[in-house]
Amino acid sequence: MNKKYVIANWKNTKTNKECVDWIQTVGPQLESQSNFEIVVCPPFLALDAVHQIVTDIGYGLKVGSQSVSSFDKGAYTGEIGAFMLEGIVEYALIGHSERRSLKHETNEDVQSQVAQCVAHKINPVVLVRGVEDAIPENVGLFAWEPVSAIGTGQAIEANQAGETIAGLRQGRSLQGIYGGSVNSANIASFMQHPEIAGVLIGSASNDPTNFLEMIHALR
Ligand code: PGA
């Protein structure tokens, strides 16, 4: 059976110190999880510090970025290229709906970002709002995040999420996870669903105690 994922997306909410404190609080409380992978996605600035701790101490955590540049190395002011992230992150979130709406990222941008990830040994996790957002061919993991469920407390029911994810897969062998108002009361329903390969958690992952409560709900 394929491994399942719990991915924490901290968005633009934590300083470096807060990211490190979170890891040092949560890390020692985690038992080694053989059946699912926990990935934390700090802001770019904290990736190096988080990667260092996770490499030195382990804790069974993996590190991901929240985005990656569409461009290769070069004259692109303000960009963070995949070549900089190589060796620091194992995963990169690509095409979050907030980036599609606020930064006008398109399916073409997503395609370029996936190519950058692949070239630099990073696993892309492509986030889609629905069928309008294409999942490029060389992607193994995607997340369905309906906009109505993001940050609203209105999660989609697990069976409906499972059906939608199965539909988005279109017969391909890729895995699909669910994101949108996941919390300690509903996380198990998503994780246990055979069509759902895990969860992507925003606001409920910010607080270490909340996060641990969700992990404990999976025991
Ligand atoms: P939420 O965010 O868990 O706060 O709904 C999910 C996401 O945007 O990835």
Side-chain angles (χ1 to χ4, degrees):
M1 207 181 94
N2 282 324
K3 205 167 226 188
K4 295 206 172 188
Y5 298 86
V6 173
I7 305 182
N9 175 13
W10 296 339
K11 307 191 180 183
N12 181 27
T13 68
K14 288 191 194 302
T15 63
N16 273 14
K17 183 178 181 311
E18 286 165 342
C19 291
V20 168
D21 286 350
W22 189 103
I23 300 286
Q24 283 170 340
T25 307
V26 171
Q29 305 294 321
L30 297 173
E31 293 145 26
S32 75
Q33 311 288 346
S34 54
N35 52 344
F36 58 91
E37 186 128 298
I38 301 178
V39 183
V40 291
C41 300
F44 281 126
L45 201 58
L47 282 174
D48 198 33
V50 168
H51 165 74
Q52 287 297 335
I53 308 175
V54 166
T55 307
D56 292 348
I57 314 179
Y59 295 140
L61 290 165
K62 306 285 182 192
V63 185
S65 63
Q66 297 175 15
S67 179
V68 67
S69 178
S70 306
F71 303 106
D72 210 343
K73 190 181 219 170
Y76 305 105
T77 302
E79 294 293 304
I80 308 278
F83 73 96
M84 298 181 206
L85 301 172
E86 183 172 344
I88 295 179
V89 303
E90 275 185 55
Y91 296 91
L93 306 182
I94 305 285
H96 191 288
S97 63
E98 286 152 11
R99 299 199 62 81
R100 293 180 193 262
S101 62
L102 301 171
K103 308 295 277 185
H104 312 293
E105 287 188 1
T106 62
N107 283 338
E108 288 68 37
D109 295 323
V110 165
Q111 184 103 39
S112 306
Q113 292 169 14
V114 165
Q116 288 298 319
C117 286
V118 171
H120 293 283
K121 304 181 189 68
I122 298 165
N123 300 304
V125 184
V126 170
L127 280 56
V128 300
R129 297 164 295 186
V131 283
E132 69 274 31
D133 297 335
I135 306 169
E137 281 307 319
N138 41 358
V139 165
L141 185 61
F142 73 97
W144 177 53
E145 293 210 315
V147 173
S148 68
I150 297 178
T152 59
Q154 308 289 316
I156 304 296
E157 194 268 323
N159 283 332
Q160 197 193 328
E163 256 176 53
T164 305
I165 286 168
L168 289 166
R169 204 181 292 125
Q170 295 180 330
R172 292 174 287 176
S173 68
L174 72 178
Q175 287 184 280
I177 70 176
Y178 169 78
S181 296
V182 172
N183 59 35
S184 58
N186 62 26
I187 187 169
S189 68
F190 297 112
M191 291 294 282
Q192 285 160 5
H193 196 289
E195 297 288 354
I196 306 178
V199 290
L200 179 45
I201 312 168
S203 36
S205 74
N206 287 336
D207 177 68
T209 311
N210 265 354
F211 185 79
L212 283 168
E213 210 176 293
M214 287 187 284
I215 297 300
H216 293 154
L218 300 177
R219 273 186 185 148

